[in-house]
Amino acid sequence: MRARTPDQTSTARTVGRNAQLLRTARGWPQQEGAARSAGGPCPLPLTAVRDIEAGQGSRGSRRAVSVDELVALAAVFGVAVERLLVEAASGGGGS
């Protein structure tokens, strides 16, 4: 029997929820997250931040998170990439 692995959609939802928790724990609007990514290697426009947190694209389709976006989000929040990939048990703080 094969071990069950999370699908891309559930992983993207987890990343989106964790990004939203981290952002709101800091009291930032979505615009702040986008602005803080501007100087990095993968700037995230506001629409990308919104779509990632919602887990879907602007047309209602499922929204995957690229590796570059994942690394950019981790840099914005000052956390390890793993923090965004693991389902949060509570709150939005910590690394």
Side-chain angles (χ1 to χ4, degrees), residues 48-95:
V49 173
R50 286 181 182 150
D51 291 350
I52 290 167
E53 287 188 8
Q56 63 185 28
S58 58
R59 296 183 183 173
S61 60
R62 288 183 252 179
R63 168 60 157 95
V65 178
S66 75
V67 173
D68 289 340
E69 291 170 330
L70 182 63
V71 170
L73 286 169
V76 163
F77 296 117
V79 299
V81 168
E82 293 83 5
R83 171 63 183 83
L84 292 163
L85 293 169
V86 177
E87 193 68 48
S90 66
S95 52

Side-chain angles (χ1 to χ4, degrees), residues 11-36:
T11 301
R13 280 193 299 255
T14 299
V15 170
R17 278 193 296 268
N18 287 335
Q20 184 177 35
L21 286 170
L22 289 165
R23 179 184 57 74
T24 57
R26 288 161 174 73
W28 297 349
Q30 289 176 329
Q31 294 88 337
E32 183 69 20
R36 287 176 179 259

